[in-house]
């Protein structure tokens, strides 16, 4: 693989993904993946799990029609059981007017599916109509040290600790159907993300960044821990665009990254 691949993943189908993040992504022409919880979008709220306002079904369709975006499944009611997974996929395909046999991506709610579970259930997930599963990495090497590094990185904002803590999340291979993502929280710093991306560039790996709410400074989120300011998000996109123009990274949707890394395109 030449250089690094970076993907932006936005979870749940929150309205700010359409109102705020979408405009910035289009400004810099950066592809991204929107992972939709169908009950949340259809009913306007999902109890205390997703209290933020969601997109409308029409807005989901608009993003699916834009070649810059991939729309993937994220469950019906944000759960990881088979019934919820299947219902969320079928409802999403119905909204998008896609045939029932269409293969799409799936983002595991709360990163509840482990890599081992995905590998063990790969055939069943394929039969459910999923091309890949995006989840969070359960620490694979030196787990005690890396867990401590993650906690420390949130407090002291060290880019070196952050990169060390999430080094296992960078991928050279996705042939096991699994895409690992780095969760971006309110206290995650821009320089930490860019330093991790630079590590991916050095190693020619894929780095998937997972966001939730993107809001302008001063606009309050119901769940602020998962919110990132739009100004920081734009600064990240600007930096990624510069790295793309320098030939150091390729910016892709999750599906594009998965297909590239499994077929060597």
């Amino acid at each position: 693989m030449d250089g690094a691949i970076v993907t932006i993943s936005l979870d749940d189908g929150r309205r700010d993904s359409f109102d705020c993040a979408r405009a910035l992504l289009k400004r810099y022409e950066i592809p991204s993946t929107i992972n939709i919880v169908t009950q949340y979008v259809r009913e306007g709220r999902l109890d205390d799990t997703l209290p933020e306002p969601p997109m409308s079904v029409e807005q989901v369709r608009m993003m699916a029609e834009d070649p810059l975006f991939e729309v993937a499944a994220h469950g019906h009611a944000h759960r990881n059981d088979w019934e919820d997974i299947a219902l969320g996929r079928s409802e999403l395909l119905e909204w998008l007017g896609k045939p029932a046999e269409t293969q799409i991506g799936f983002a595991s709610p709360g990163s509840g599916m482990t890599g081992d579970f995905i590998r063990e259930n790969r055939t069943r997930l394929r039969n459910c109509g999923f091309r890949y599963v995006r989840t969070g990495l359960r620490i694979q090497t030196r787990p005690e040290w890396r867990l401590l590094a993650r906690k420390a990185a949130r407090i002291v904002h060290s880019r070196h600790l952050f990169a060390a803590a999430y080094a296992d999340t960078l991928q050279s291979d996705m042939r096991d159907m699994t895409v690992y993502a780095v969760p971006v929280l309110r206290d995650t710093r821009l320089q930490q993300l860019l330093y991790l991306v630079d590590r991916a560039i050095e190693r020619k790996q894929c780095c998937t960044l997972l966001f939730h709410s993107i809001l302008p400074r001063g606009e309050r989120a119901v769940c602020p821990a998962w919110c990132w300011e739009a100004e920081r998000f734009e600064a990240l996109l600007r930096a990624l665009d510069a790295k793309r123009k320098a030939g150091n990274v390729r910016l892709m949707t999750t599906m594009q990254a998965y297909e590239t890394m499994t077929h060597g395109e």
Side-chain angles (χ1 to χ4, degrees):
M1 184 174 73
D2 296 328
I5 293 173
V6 177
T7 75
I8 301 291
S9 195
L10 294 156
D11 270 9
D12 305 326
R14 301 171 185 233
R15 187 178 303 163
D16 56 75
S17 291
F18 185 86
D19 293 340
C20 185
R22 170 175 166 267
L24 294 173
L25 290 160
K26 288 179 71 67
R27 179 178 301 171
Y28 294 93
E29 298 184 344
I30 292 181
S32 68
T33 301
I34 315 296
N35 306 294
I36 301 296
V37 180
T38 54
Q39 182 180 334
Y40 170 56
V41 170
R42 179 164 48 78
E43 297 184 5
R45 182 182 170 90
L46 189 63
D47 51 62
D48 293 332
T49 307
L50 289 171
E52 309 282 356
M55 295 182 197
S56 67
V57 174
E58 183 56 35
Q59 288 170 336
V60 172
R61 291 193 185 106
M62 288 177 64
M63 295 198 79
E65 292 168 358
D66 190 325
L68 199 61
F69 301 106
E70 171 198 357
V71 173
H74 198 33
H76 171 66
H78 204 254
R79 299 198 300 267
N80 284 287
D81 62 78
W82 293 107
E83 181 180 1
D84 194 78
I85 292 168
L87 183 57
R89 176 186 173 278
S90 63
E91 189 167 25
L92 181 60
L93 290 178
E94 182 181 344
W95 291 353
L96 304 182
K98 300 286 187 181
E101 63 273 16
T102 303
Q103 284 197 330
I104 61 175
F106 173 63
S108 172
S111 293
M113 289 187 177
T114 65
D116 287 342
F117 179 89
I118 295 166
R119 283 186 287 273
E120 292 166 4
N121 291 275
R122 181 175 178 178
T123 300
R124 185 171 184 178
L125 287 161
R126 283 271 190 249
N127 291 339
C128 284
F130 295 116
R131 187 75 179 135
Y132 67 82
V133 179
R134 195 222 69 205
T135 190
L137 181 68
R138 301 298 189 268
I139 302 170
Q140 294 180 340
T141 61
R142 304 175 67 189
E144 298 84 2
W145 186 90
R146 290 189 189 279
L147 186 60
L148 181 62
R150 288 185 183 188
K151 292 179 179 179
R154 295 191 190 108
I155 298 170
V156 302
H157 306 135
S158 164
R159 61 180 188 171
H160 298 282
L161 278 176
F162 185 84
Y166 287 99
D168 282 354
T169 310
L170 304 179
Q171 292 181 264
S172 302
D173 191 343
M174 293 180 180
R175 282 176 290 184
D176 63 357
M177 195 181 179
T178 309
V179 178
Y180 292 117
V182 178
V184 180
L185 307 177
R186 178 182 59 179
D187 53 9
T188 305
R189 295 297 189 260
L190 172 63
Q191 292 307 314
Q192 291 176 317
L193 296 182
L194 292 178
Y195 190 71
L196 187 64
V197 168
D198 286 341
R199 292 285 292 276
I201 292 171
E202 292 171 6
R203 300 178 180 185
K204 298 183 178 181
Q205 293 176 309
C206 179
C207 177
T208 298
L209 303 177
L210 163 59
F211 296 86
H212 290 80
S213 286
I214 303 294
L215 294 174
R217 184 178 294 128
E219 187 171 333
R220 297 186 63 183
V222 180
C223 297
W226 290 97
C227 177
W228 227 50
E229 291 180 348
E231 291 76 10
R232 280 194 290 173
F233 188 65
E234 182 172 12
L236 172 66
L237 300 185
R238 190 183 305 118
L240 291 176
D241 184 42
K243 292 178 186 295
R244 172 173 58 184
K245 290 174 178 174
N248 294 322
V249 302
R250 288 179 286 170
L251 304 176
M252 301 181 179
T253 66
T254 312
M255 183 68 81
Q256 289 168 341
Y258 175 80
E259 296 293 349
T260 298
M261 296 196 71
T262 53
H263 294 117
E265 299 170 354

